[in-house]
Amino acid sequence: MGDTLLAVKNLKKYFPVRGGLFRRDIGSIKAVDDIDLTVEEGQSFGLVGESGSGKTTVGKTILRLVEPTEGEILFEGRDLCKLSESEMRHLRAEMQMIFQDPYSSLNPRMTVKRIVGEPLLIHKWGKGRALEERVRELISLVGLMEDHLFRYPHEFSGGQRQRIGIARALAVEPKMLILDEPTSALDVSVQAQVLDLLLELQKRLNLTYLFISHDLAVIRYICDRVALMYMGKVLEVAAVEDIFQNPMHPYTQALLSAMPVADPEYQPEEIILEGEISTLGGQEGACRFGPRCPARDTARCGKEEPMLQEVEDGHLVACHLYD
Ligand SMILES: Nc1ncnc2c1ncn2[C@@H]1O[C@H](COP(=O)(O)OP(=O)(O)O)[C@@H](O)[C@H]1O
Ligand code: SF4
Ligand SMILES: [Mg+2]
């Protein structure tokens, strides 16, 4: 086992819901509801789940782009929640986030040279010749050309724009990248190229990834370990191959049964989940997957929320079937 780079403990993020004539708080959306994650140095850790399960909120609270409601976020042992705004700014050089839609995060009026050079200026990395050389180095690192430097974001394809975003994120030599669906908006063939680039960069620069995706096939391609999120909770954590060979949580089993496989003879029977993911949190003191669970045992599952526990070596599951 490598050293722990990032440890998230009891992380919660509740968003208030206001309503009525006086816009009073009438409840909360439990976007992230008490989760623990441990990411080791050099690892690619996946966070997978349906839309609305809380993945982006986890990424943003780790960087304190939204303030956590509760919990600890330890990066190299330091609790980020205790850092001042200026300490946090320094720390963001070590942990960068990449979003799904690079277009909205690239200033349309800046050339690539300025976009990639900007974090170097902000973090006082250097200027003039040194800065220019660093920008050229980054551009070639992500597979773009020198003559791209003087063009604007709208002149590029989606895949190229994501490469620009990656170059910018890598400018100040972060240890860790939080990648939020970085290829979900791209065509399949382009998606594969960007994923290969990310794998190559990880090896070359010894990067640690927190890789967020709704797509298990992408997670399998990129990640070593994965946590499955559902309605703000983690339901299963394991090495990626363990998840595919031996999915234990009924939710994971359902997701995998819906995935296309190369050999149609071995396609397991698809488990159709009824109902939809709710955003307002589950019933207090019950399994939040209960209303959709084919294996639900009414006596227990409706009365007690299962805790995430280690069921096999390195394989954690939150389900009463394994108590
Ligand atoms: N700023 C916000 N204000 C209120 N609710 C939010 C906010 N951001 C996210 N949410 C809600 O939190 C839940 C989780 O959202 P999100 O983290 O974006 O999920 P995912 O990335 O898995 O799709 C959703 O119900 C979403 O509507
Ligand atoms: S605890 Fe019960 S309802 Fe929840 S996933 Fe397990 S079997 Fe299904
Ligand atoms: Mg998201």
Side-chain angles (χ1 to χ4, degrees), residues 256-318:
L256 285 173
S257 77
M259 264 182 89
V261 290
D263 183 351
E265 280 200 31
Y266 289 97
Q267 175 80 52
E269 199 174 326
E270 184 170 345
I271 304 166
I272 307 286
L273 292 178
E274 286 171 22
E276 277 176 30
I277 187 166
S278 152
T279 53
L280 289 170
Q283 191 192 328
E284 284 296 319
C287 173
R288 57 193 72 194
F289 185 60
R292 297 171 77 189
C293 182
R296 176 186 162 91
D297 156 13
T298 25
R300 183 112 197 241
C301 305
K303 291 197 187 78
E304 202 184 315
E305 177 142 47
M307 303 281 288
L308 193 65
Q309 50 179 333
E310 190 161 15
V311 172
E312 282 176 9
D313 200 19
H315 197 146
L316 290 78
V317 188

Side-chain angles (χ1 to χ4, degrees), residues 161-173:
R161 281 201 286 264
Q162 198 52 292
R163 287 173 194 263
I164 299 168
I166 294 168
R168 182 181 56 181
L170 293 176
V172 288
E173 296 191 316

Side-chain angles (χ1 to χ4, degrees), residues 9 12 52 75 78 85 104 109-110 130 140 147 161 168 177 181 204 235 244 269 296 301 304 306 314:
K9 295 185 181 162
K12 291 184 186 168
F75 185 75
R78 269 182 307 170
E85 193 41 51
S104 65
R109 279 183 288 276
M110 284 191 187
S140 104
D147 66 320
R161 281 201 286 264
R168 182 181 56 181
L177 294 184
E181 310 259 11
R204 247 169 101 170
L235 300 189
F244 278 86
E269 199 174 326
R296 176 186 162 91
C301 305
E304 202 184 315

Side-chain angles (χ1 to χ4, degrees), residues 13-17 29-32 48-60 66 180-181 212 229 232 278-280:
K13 178 63 195 180
Y14 294 176
F15 292 106
V17 180
I29 293 177
K30 297 177 175 176
V32 177
V48 70
E50 288 167 88
S51 170
S53 57
K55 307 178 298 296
T56 296
T57 307
V58 171
K60 286 184 174 171
V66 301
D180 190 1
E181 310 259 11
I212 297 173
M229 277 191 82
S278 152
T279 53
L280 289 170

